[in-house]
Amino acid sequence: FMDKKNEESLQSLSPYFSPLFLSAFSAYSSRFKKERTRREYLYAIASLCNSAGCSFFELRPEHILEYFQSSDLKFQGSANDAASSKPAEPSVPSPAKETSLHYNLRVYRAFARFLDEHAEQYGLMPVYTGLFSSLSSSSEEMEFSMESLPSFEAINCVLGWLRETNDLTTFTAVTLALRCALTVQELVSLRRSMFFLDAHGRTGLRLPVSDSRKSSGSTGVRSRIVKVPEDAAEIIRLLTAGRPAGEENREQSLLLNKYGRPLTVRSLQMRLREACLACKIPAFTMNDLRTLGIAMMLRGGASVSQAAAYTGARNTDWFFRYNRIVTELDDSAADYSHLRIVP
């Protein structure tokens, strides 16, 4: 643990670094080989805490919105979600460069996941990963590591638990993240009207393309067509089988809670986390499943351009990062490229 002199040095970075925070960060940063990495993480966290005027444990969505609003990072929620009060001015300047903000976002997500995984140990609620789940950036696709990805045994355990507890909604979300490589934002935005059958009876999904992905000067609404594998399509049919038909229900959300309301990013992530805890396995996210899904496509023979078009990637410069995952899959005994999920 840190000595008194070192602790006082860290306190100079932010007055919001409490003994509990320093204890948790000390445990988290023990994985770093270089002291420089540890300091960079502390600077990033100090920047956010000083901007918000509170400790990392007390962060709220409006603090994070305020911190990132000057960059291209978008908060996928209503402006009414944010409080009108302005947080305190930071004593450590917030990073001005876009690349720094992207790096900081990765830092916050990594530390938030650690806190959620060890929430009981530190007397916390496991809510921190959800605070950053609604942020997206152009470099978000690169935010993964082999260590964070779930094994197929772990995924199978989670699917089994969801089936036993009759949670077909989360079962469907897990399936679509893995089989169609959908982001968590895309999952919660799905509407029944987005799905269609072509002349050959194949199921497709029409996803709207965000403004940032439209070419300059283009007009009208553009869509990305995603082919839905038959096993995933069958699960969707089971999920919607008991729902009222008719034109008035076409815009109903696909993923609903027990009260018939659409799931949010946070509630969906919490459902998945609950399943992981029930299976006594390290928690993983919907984005981890998406990453694994893309790697499986490439391993199965899809070209980089095909995978990029299917997943809506803006560029393919970062696809080389999947090579490690594909290599790991090649070492597996089973041919997971022909994965089929059975409800």
Side-chain angles (χ1 to χ4, degrees):
F1 191 64
M2 305 175 189
D3 57 34
K4 185 175 180 58
K5 183 177 180 181
N6 194 16
E7 185 172 332
E8 290 175 350
S9 173
L10 295 179
Q11 288 283 359
S12 68
L13 293 178
S14 174
Y16 307 105
F17 282 178
S18 65
L20 180 61
F21 167 81
L22 294 177
S23 175
F25 186 80
S26 177
Y28 172 73
S29 61
S30 63
R31 68 190 67 188
F32 298 146
K33 296 181 179 179
K34 296 180 179 180
E35 174 64 18
R36 176 181 176 181
T37 305
R38 177 175 167 276
R39 300 292 296 189
E40 287 175 348
Y41 269 59
L42 280 171
Y43 287 137
I45 295 173
S47 178
L48 176 58
C49 291
N50 292 336
S51 174
C54 66
S55 73
F56 197 92
F57 303 140
E58 298 169 332
L59 288 172
R60 299 191 302 273
E62 57 264 28
H63 295 146
I64 298 164
L65 171 60
E66 177 75 14
Y67 183 75
F68 284 106
Q69 66 180 355
S70 62
S71 74
D72 75 334
L73 296 163
K74 304 299 181 183
F75 193 86
Q76 305 296 328
S78 168
N80 296 328
D81 293 339
S84 59
S85 59
K86 191 173 182 178
E89 290 297 321
S91 57
V92 175
S94 297
K97 293 185 178 180
E98 182 179 308
T99 52
S100 296
L101 285 162
H102 292 156
Y103 175 80
N104 284 11
L105 178 56
R106 292 197 291 273
V107 169
Y108 304 146
R109 283 176 166 167
F111 186 57
R113 177 179 293 182
F114 172 83
L115 291 179
D116 284 354
E117 291 175 354
H118 300 84
E120 185 176 350
Q121 176 183 345
Y122 295 107
L124 303 170
M125 293 293 291
V127 298
Y128 298 100
T129 302
L131 290 174
F132 301 96
S133 294
S134 294
L135 287 165
S136 62
S137 75
S138 58
S139 65
E140 182 175 322
E141 303 288 358
M142 296 187 291
E143 296 170 20
F144 65 83
S145 64
M146 276 301 303
E147 293 74 19
S148 69
L149 296 180
S151 66
F152 288 101
E153 291 79 9
I155 296 172
N156 188 56
C157 179
V158 164
L159 289 172
W161 186 84
L162 292 172
R163 181 169 55 185
E164 290 174 6
T165 56
N166 295 316
D167 188 354
L168 187 56
T169 300
T170 311
F171 191 104
T172 303
V174 169
T175 300
L176 291 175
L178 183 62
R179 297 291 277 123
C180 299
L182 299 184
T183 67
V184 66
Q185 286 85 9
E186 289 170 340
L187 288 170
V188 298
S189 68
L190 292 176
R191 301 287 184 271
R192 294 174 67 178
S193 60
M194 295 178 179
F195 293 89
F196 63 90
L197 290 175
D198 71 0
H200 300 285
R202 296 171 298 193
T203 303
L205 169 62
R206 185 178 290 105
L207 287 172
V209 177
S210 64
D211 290 339
S212 60
R213 294 183 185 181
K214 294 177 183 177
S215 58
S216 59
S218 63
T219 59
V221 178
R222 294 179 55 210
S223 299
R224 178 174 112 243
I225 303 300
V226 175
K227 181 179 180 180
V228 180
E230 183 54 36
D231 58 329
E234 177 60 28
I235 292 169
I236 293 171
R237 285 192 283 270
L238 289 175
L239 178 67
T240 58
R243 298 185 186 178
E247 191 67 25
E248 66 276 10
N249 295 306
R250 279 176 48 78
E251 295 306 317
Q252 184 185 56
S253 294
L254 179 68
L255 304 179
L256 303 174
N257 62 21
K258 62 181 180 181
Y259 303 108
R261 301 190 187 97
L263 288 183
T264 63
V265 168
R266 180 177 178 181
S267 61
L268 181 55
Q269 296 281 33
M270 289 299 290
R271 282 177 173 225
L272 179 56
R273 174 179 169 76
E274 180 185 4
C276 292
L277 292 177
C279 292
K280 298 180 179 180
I281 58 175
F284 55 86
T285 68
M286 291 293 175
N287 191 59
D288 294 332
L289 293 172
R290 166 183 161 84
T291 298
L292 197 56
I294 296 173
M296 290 166 59
M297 294 176 194
L298 295 175
R299 177 181 181 259
S303 67
V304 168
S305 59
Q306 283 178 314
Y310 184 85
T311 59
R314 304 183 193 187
N315 63 71
T316 59
D317 294 342
W318 47 269
F319 263 69
F320 72 93
R321 293 183 62 116
Y322 286 95
N323 289 343
R324 284 183 60 203
I325 307 173
V326 172
T327 301
E328 292 286 335
L329 290 177
D330 282 339
D331 292 336
S332 300
D335 186 4
Y336 290 112
S337 62
H338 298 295
L339 177 70
R340 180 178 178 85
I341 299 176
V342 181

